Amino acid sequence: MQTQEILDFIKSRRSIGNLVAPAPNREQVEQAIEVALSAPDHKDLNPYRFIVLEDQALNTLGTALKNAAIAQGETDEKTLKKAENMPLRAPMIIACVTDFKPHDKVPHWEQIAASSCAVQNLLLALSAQGFATVWRTGPLANAPAIKQLFNVTADNQVIAFVYVGTAVSTIPPRSKIDVTPFIVYDNGTN
């Protein structure tokens, strides 16, 4: 693959919310996670772990999301049903949670950044394999019921729910992005 092809591929990645089977198989998931583990990571701490959810595990996550909503005071049945059904919008979810490592040169915020970079690499790797994804979290992601489900300690966080599957329809091309509002060039002469 030539440089421009690689850049165009990265720029073409889109979040797609309506996903169906097939999802990646175990070998494809492990290859994608290997790519995720190649993300920038100061001191190679690997301050994260991945949990792959399929089949009944998606229902278990749905129950935990519903319980988390109830614990936060939600009583509307329609809203509770929506929370419970959220994980069923894809045949697979790969959760990324932090696993902070004590290090005097790598604060927690930097470990969160490394975890986020790993998720981005995961998204690109899954896309390269022909799968569609969407990165979701939301207000319930770090509720006690969810942290308990994933065995996440109080000082750690759920970083992402990566929904994975096959897009139902053709993925629309991304519009060209104007980068100029996001760049400041400074040569030190001002």
Side-chain angles (χ1 to χ4, degrees), residues 117-150:
C117 288
V119 172
Q120 173 65 7
N121 275 12
L122 179 71
L123 295 169
L124 290 171
L126 291 165
S127 182
Q129 294 177 64
F131 296 100
T133 60
V134 61
W135 178 344
R136 299 184 190 272
T137 50
L140 300 176
N142 282 286
I146 306 307
K147 285 187 162 191
Q148 181 180 2
L149 177 66
F150 294 130

Short mmCIF file of all heavy atoms in Angstrom, two decimals, residues 117-150:
data_model
loop_
_atom_site.label_atom_id
_atom_site.label_comp_id
_atom_site.label_asym_id
_atom_site.label_seq_id
_atom_site.Cartn_x
_atom_site.Cartn_y
_atom_site.Cartn_z
N CYS A 117 -5.50 5.97 22.48
CA CYS A 117 -4.74 5.67 21.27
C CYS A 117 -4.90 4.20 20.89
O CYS A 117 -5.03 3.86 19.70
CB CYS A 117 -3.26 6.01 21.45
SG CYS A 117 -2.91 7.77 21.49
N ALA A 118 -4.90 3.33 21.87
CA ALA A 118 -5.09 1.90 21.61
C ALA A 118 -6.46 1.65 20.99
O ALA A 118 -6.59 0.86 20.05
CB ALA A 118 -4.91 1.09 22.90
N VAL A 119 -7.48 2.34 21.49
CA VAL A 119 -8.83 2.18 20.92
C VAL A 119 -8.85 2.67 19.47
O VAL A 119 -9.43 2.01 18.60
CB VAL A 119 -9.89 2.91 21.78
CG1 VAL A 119 -11.24 2.92 21.09
CG2 VAL A 119 -9.99 2.26 23.15
N GLN A 120 -8.20 3.79 19.19
CA GLN A 120 -8.15 4.28 17.81
C GLN A 120 -7.49 3.26 16.90
O GLN A 120 -7.97 2.98 15.81
CB GLN A 120 -7.41 5.62 17.74
CG GLN A 120 -7.17 6.13 16.34
CD GLN A 120 -8.42 6.47 15.55
OE1 GLN A 120 -9.54 6.47 16.08
NE2 GLN A 120 -8.26 6.74 14.27
N ASN A 121 -6.38 2.69 17.34
CA ASN A 121 -5.73 1.65 16.53
C ASN A 121 -6.65 0.44 16.34
O ASN A 121 -6.68 -0.16 15.27
CB ASN A 121 -4.41 1.20 17.18
CG ASN A 121 -3.25 2.08 16.80
OD1 ASN A 121 -3.41 3.16 16.22
ND2 ASN A 121 -2.05 1.64 17.13
N LEU A 122 -7.39 0.08 17.39
CA LEU A 122 -8.35 -1.02 17.29
C LEU A 122 -9.39 -0.73 16.21
O LEU A 122 -9.69 -1.59 15.38
CB LEU A 122 -9.02 -1.26 18.65
CG LEU A 122 -10.07 -2.37 18.71
CD1 LEU A 122 -9.41 -3.73 18.60
CD2 LEU A 122 -10.86 -2.26 20.02
N LEU A 123 -9.93 0.48 16.21
CA LEU A 123 -10.93 0.88 15.22
C LEU A 123 -10.36 0.75 13.80
O LEU A 123 -11.02 0.22 12.89
CB LEU A 123 -11.40 2.31 15.45
CG LEU A 123 -12.16 2.58 16.74
CD1 LEU A 123 -12.33 4.08 16.95
CD2 LEU A 123 -13.50 1.89 16.75
N LEU A 124 -9.14 1.24 13.61
CA LEU A 124 -8.51 1.18 12.29
C LEU A 124 -8.25 -0.27 11.87
O LEU A 124 -8.45 -0.63 10.71
CB LEU A 124 -7.21 2.00 12.28
CG LEU A 124 -7.40 3.51 12.37
CD1 LEU A 124 -6.05 4.20 12.56
CD2 LEU A 124 -8.11 4.05 11.13
N ALA A 125 -7.78 -1.09 12.80
CA ALA A 125 -7.49 -2.49 12.47
C ALA A 125 -8.76 -3.24 12.10
O ALA A 125 -8.77 -4.04 11.15
CB ALA A 125 -6.79 -3.17 13.65
N LEU A 126 -9.84 -3.00 12.82
CA LEU A 126 -11.11 -3.66 12.49
C LEU A 126 -11.63 -3.18 11.14
O LEU A 126 -12.12 -3.98 10.33
CB LEU A 126 -12.13 -3.42 13.60
CG LEU A 126 -11.81 -4.12 14.92
CD1 LEU A 126 -12.65 -3.54 16.05
CD2 LEU A 126 -12.00 -5.62 14.81
N SER A 127 -11.48 -1.90 10.88
CA SER A 127 -11.89 -1.35 9.59
C SER A 127 -11.07 -1.95 8.46
O SER A 127 -11.60 -2.29 7.40
CB SER A 127 -11.76 0.18 9.63
OG SER A 127 -12.18 0.74 8.41
N ALA A 128 -9.77 -2.11 8.67
CA ALA A 128 -8.89 -2.70 7.66
C ALA A 128 -9.30 -4.14 7.33
O ALA A 128 -9.07 -4.62 6.22
CB ALA A 128 -7.44 -2.66 8.13
N GLN A 129 -9.93 -4.80 8.30
CA GLN A 129 -10.40 -6.17 8.09
C GLN A 129 -11.80 -6.22 7.48
O GLN A 129 -12.36 -7.30 7.31
CB GLN A 129 -10.37 -6.94 9.42
CG GLN A 129 -8.97 -7.13 9.97
CD GLN A 129 -9.00 -7.83 11.31
OE1 GLN A 129 -9.42 -8.98 11.42
NE2 GLN A 129 -8.57 -7.13 12.34
N GLY A 130 -12.37 -5.05 7.20
CA GLY A 130 -13.67 -4.99 6.55
C GLY A 130 -14.86 -4.86 7.47
O GLY A 130 -16.01 -4.97 7.03
N PHE A 131 -14.62 -4.61 8.76
CA PHE A 131 -15.72 -4.48 9.71
C PHE A 131 -16.04 -3.01 9.96
O PHE A 131 -15.20 -2.13 9.80
CB PHE A 131 -15.39 -5.18 11.03
CG PHE A 131 -15.22 -6.66 10.84
CD1 PHE A 131 -13.96 -7.23 10.76
CD2 PHE A 131 -16.33 -7.48 10.68
CE1 PHE A 131 -13.79 -8.59 10.54
CE2 PHE A 131 -16.18 -8.84 10.46
CZ PHE A 131 -14.90 -9.39 10.38
N ALA A 132 -17.26 -2.76 10.36
CA ALA A 132 -17.69 -1.42 10.73
C ALA A 132 -17.72 -1.33 12.26
O ALA A 132 -17.92 -2.33 12.95
CB ALA A 132 -19.07 -1.12 10.15
N THR A 133 -17.49 -0.13 12.77
CA THR A 133 -17.42 0.08 14.21
C THR A 133 -18.03 1.41 14.60
O THR A 133 -18.18 2.31 13.78
CB THR A 133 -15.94 0.09 14.69
OG1 THR A 133 -15.26 1.16 14.03
CG2 THR A 133 -15.24 -1.22 14.43
N VAL A 134 -18.32 1.52 15.87
CA VAL A 134 -18.65 2.80 16.48
C VAL A 134 -18.16 2.75 17.92
O VAL A 134 -18.31 1.74 18.60
CB VAL A 134 -20.16 3.15 16.38
CG1 VAL A 134 -21.02 2.13 17.10
CG2 VAL A 134 -20.43 4.56 16.89
N TRP A 135 -17.53 3.82 18.36
CA TRP A 135 -17.01 3.95 19.72
C TRP A 135 -18.07 4.65 20.54
O TRP A 135 -18.43 5.79 20.27
CB TRP A 135 -15.72 4.75 19.68
CG TRP A 135 -15.01 5.04 20.98
CD1 TRP A 135 -15.49 4.95 22.24
CD2 TRP A 135 -13.67 5.52 21.10
NE1 TRP A 135 -14.55 5.32 23.16
CE2 TRP A 135 -13.41 5.68 22.47
CE3 TRP A 135 -12.67 5.83 20.19
CZ2 TRP A 135 -12.18 6.14 22.95
CZ3 TRP A 135 -11.46 6.28 20.67
CH2 TRP A 135 -11.22 6.43 22.04
N ARG A 136 -18.57 3.97 21.55
CA ARG A 136 -19.61 4.55 22.42
C ARG A 136 -19.14 4.47 23.88
O ARG A 136 -18.39 3.57 24.24
CB ARG A 136 -20.92 3.78 22.29
CG ARG A 136 -21.52 3.79 20.91
CD ARG A 136 -22.86 3.08 20.93
NE ARG A 136 -23.40 2.84 19.62
CZ ARG A 136 -24.16 3.69 18.94
NH1 ARG A 136 -24.46 4.86 19.45
NH2 ARG A 136 -24.63 3.35 17.75
N THR A 137 -19.61 5.38 24.66
CA THR A 137 -19.49 5.28 26.12
C THR A 137 -20.82 5.73 26.69
O THR A 137 -21.75 4.94 26.75
CB THR A 137 -18.31 6.11 26.68
OG1 THR A 137 -18.39 7.43 26.17
CG2 THR A 137 -16.98 5.48 26.38
N GLY A 138 -20.94 6.99 27.07
CA GLY A 138 -22.20 7.50 27.60
C GLY A 138 -22.16 7.62 29.10
O GLY A 138 -21.21 7.19 29.76
N PRO A 139 -23.22 8.21 29.66
CA PRO A 139 -23.24 8.51 31.09
C PRO A 139 -23.27 7.29 32.01
O PRO A 139 -22.99 7.41 33.19
CB PRO A 139 -24.51 9.36 31.27
CG PRO A 139 -25.36 9.03 30.09
CD PRO A 139 -24.43 8.68 28.97
N LEU A 140 -23.59 6.12 31.48
CA LEU A 140 -23.65 4.92 32.32
C LEU A 140 -22.36 4.12 32.28
O LEU A 140 -22.20 3.17 33.06
CB LEU A 140 -24.81 4.03 31.87
CG LEU A 140 -26.21 4.64 31.93
CD1 LEU A 140 -27.24 3.68 31.37
CD2 LEU A 140 -26.56 5.05 33.36
N ALA A 141 -21.43 4.47 31.40
CA ALA A 141 -20.23 3.64 31.18
C ALA A 141 -19.43 3.39 32.45
O ALA A 141 -18.85 2.31 32.60
CB ALA A 141 -19.34 4.26 30.11
N ASN A 142 -19.38 4.35 33.34
CA ASN A 142 -18.58 4.19 34.55
C ASN A 142 -19.42 4.11 35.82
O ASN A 142 -18.93 4.36 36.92
CB ASN A 142 -17.53 5.29 34.64
CG ASN A 142 -16.37 4.98 33.72
OD1 ASN A 142 -15.57 4.10 34.02
ND2 ASN A 142 -16.30 5.66 32.59
N ALA A 143 -20.68 3.73 35.63
CA ALA A 143 -21.55 3.51 36.79
C ALA A 143 -21.05 2.28 37.56
O ALA A 143 -20.43 1.38 36.98
CB ALA A 143 -22.99 3.30 36.32
N PRO A 144 -21.30 2.21 38.85
CA PRO A 144 -20.83 1.07 39.65
C PRO A 144 -21.22 -0.30 39.08
O PRO A 144 -20.42 -1.23 39.10
CB PRO A 144 -21.45 1.32 41.02
CG PRO A 144 -21.57 2.82 41.10
CD PRO A 144 -21.92 3.25 39.70
N ALA A 145 -22.44 -0.43 38.54
CA ALA A 145 -22.88 -1.73 38.00
C ALA A 145 -22.02 -2.15 36.81
O ALA A 145 -21.76 -3.34 36.63
CB ALA A 145 -24.35 -1.66 37.59
N ILE A 146 -21.60 -1.19 36.01
CA ILE A 146 -20.77 -1.50 34.83
C ILE A 146 -19.35 -1.81 35.27
O ILE A 146 -18.74 -2.78 34.81
CB ILE A 146 -20.80 -0.33 33.82
CG1 ILE A 146 -22.23 0.04 33.45
CG2 ILE A 146 -19.97 -0.68 32.59
CD1 ILE A 146 -23.10 -1.10 32.98
N LYS A 147 -18.82 -1.01 36.17
CA LYS A 147 -17.47 -1.28 36.67
C LYS A 147 -17.40 -2.66 37.33
O LYS A 147 -16.44 -3.40 37.16
CB LYS A 147 -17.02 -0.19 37.64
CG LYS A 147 -16.64 1.11 36.96
CD LYS A 147 -16.05 2.07 37.96
CE LYS A 147 -15.28 3.16 37.27
NZ LYS A 147 -14.48 3.96 38.20
N GLN A 148 -18.43 -3.00 38.08
CA GLN A 148 -18.46 -4.31 38.73
C GLN A 148 -18.50 -5.43 37.69
O GLN A 148 -17.79 -6.43 37.82
CB GLN A 148 -19.67 -4.41 39.65
CG GLN A 148 -19.76 -5.73 40.38
CD GLN A 148 -20.97 -5.80 41.31
OE1 GLN A 148 -21.77 -4.88 41.40
NE2 GLN A 148 -21.09 -6.91 42.00
N LEU A 149 -19.29 -5.25 36.64
CA LEU A 149 -19.39 -6.27 35.60
C LEU A 149 -18.02 -6.56 34.97
O LEU A 149 -17.68 -7.70 34.72
CB LEU A 149 -20.37 -5.81 34.51
CG LEU A 149 -20.51 -6.73 33.30
CD1 LEU A 149 -21.15 -8.06 33.70
CD2 LEU A 149 -21.32 -6.05 32.21
N PHE A 150 -17.23 -5.51 34.75
CA PHE A 150 -15.93 -5.66 34.10
C PHE A 150 -14.77 -5.76 35.09
O PHE A 150 -13.61 -5.72 34.68
CB PHE A 150 -15.69 -4.51 33.14
CG PHE A 150 -16.63 -4.49 31.97
CD1 PHE A 150 -17.31 -3.34 31.63
CD2 PHE A 150 -16.86 -5.63 31.21
CE1 PHE A 150 -18.18 -3.31 30.55
CE2 PHE A 150 -17.72 -5.62 30.13
CZ PHE A 150 -18.39 -4.45 29.80
#
